[in-house]
Amino acid sequence: MPKILEIAELGQPVLREKSLDIDNIEDPAIQEFIDNLIQTAIDSNGVGIAAPQVFEPYRIFIINSRPNPRYPEAPEMGPVAIINPEIISYSEEKEKGWEGCLSIPGIRGLVPRYKHISIRYMTREGNIEEKKFTDFVARIFQHEFDHLNGVVFLDRMESSQEIITEKEYQRLMTQAENLNDGG
Ligand code: ZN
């Protein structure tokens, strides 16, 4: 049975380190770790989680995308393990969107991110994939990729005026949901 891992919160040095490449993806310990990271993402209701967030400074993260009030068109994707990722190219266009982080509980911030990215990564089977991501999934990817370099979403924000509490974020999302319903 996969285990739920402890989440490192902001202030833990591991969140500010540059993580290391994985060069032994077939190692059973790495495969077991990926199962545990996926289980932890599911348990915490996260759309993504990166290995440093559970005190393991390696270049692995999970994307677990699903539709939500702000991105009703978000694809059902995952949970999928992304290993040794690279961002090959970015769109010129950036867009601001709300982000939260399991390592920074209780707050949300408006973060500018590239709207489209082309990326390359290794799957847990050891295959190399190249893909283009857009909007919500591109945002998750950039957020999790940053964790591998010791960067958190607060570092990307343009203004601390665009930080709100989780409670107020939930209120905003409920309003957005009602608007989507035509209410
Ligand atoms: Zn995060």
Side-chain angles (χ1 to χ4, degrees), residues 15 48-50 53 99-104 143-144 147 151-153:
L15 291 172
I49 189 170
Q53 293 184 271
E99 294 185 20
C101 182
L102 296 172
S103 296
I104 312 174
H143 178 118
E144 302 309 331
H147 275 305
V151 174
V152 299
F153 79 84

Side-chain angles (χ1 to χ4, degrees), residues 34-101:
I34 290 170
D35 289 336
N36 292 341
L37 196 57
I38 287 172
Q39 195 58 46
T40 305
I42 293 168
D43 181 69
S44 56
N45 225 3
V47 293
I49 189 170
Q53 293 184 271
V54 295
F55 297 88
E56 296 289 348
Y58 293 100
R59 301 186 81 78
I60 301 182
F61 61 76
I62 306 300
I63 290 182
N64 185 30
S65 162
R66 52 184 182 270
N68 62 57
R70 185 168 161 79
Y71 297 95
E73 311 298 318
E76 292 278 358
M77 177 180 163
V80 61
I82 307 283
I83 297 135
N84 298 344
E86 297 166 73
I87 300 181
I88 305 164
S89 66
Y90 303 88
S91 59
E92 275 182 29
E93 192 184 349
K94 280 189 175 182
E95 198 169 63
K96 278 188 188 176
W98 290 107
E99 294 185 20
C101 182

Side-chain angles (χ1 to χ4, degrees), residues 1-51:
M1 276 292 286
K3 284 196 294 258
I4 311 287
L5 305 168
E6 187 195 351
I7 307 274
E9 294 192 2
L10 195 62
Q12 288 287 346
V14 69
L15 291 172
R16 293 312 200 170
E17 287 170 21
K18 190 166 161 59
S19 293
L20 304 168
D21 273 332
I22 298 287
D23 55 11
N24 51 340
I25 190 63
E26 66 291 337
D27 183 336
I30 300 282
Q31 292 291 330
E32 190 186 328
F33 172 69
I34 290 170
D35 289 336
N36 292 341
L37 196 57
I38 287 172
Q39 195 58 46
T40 305
I42 293 168
D43 181 69
S44 56
N45 225 3
V47 293
I49 189 170

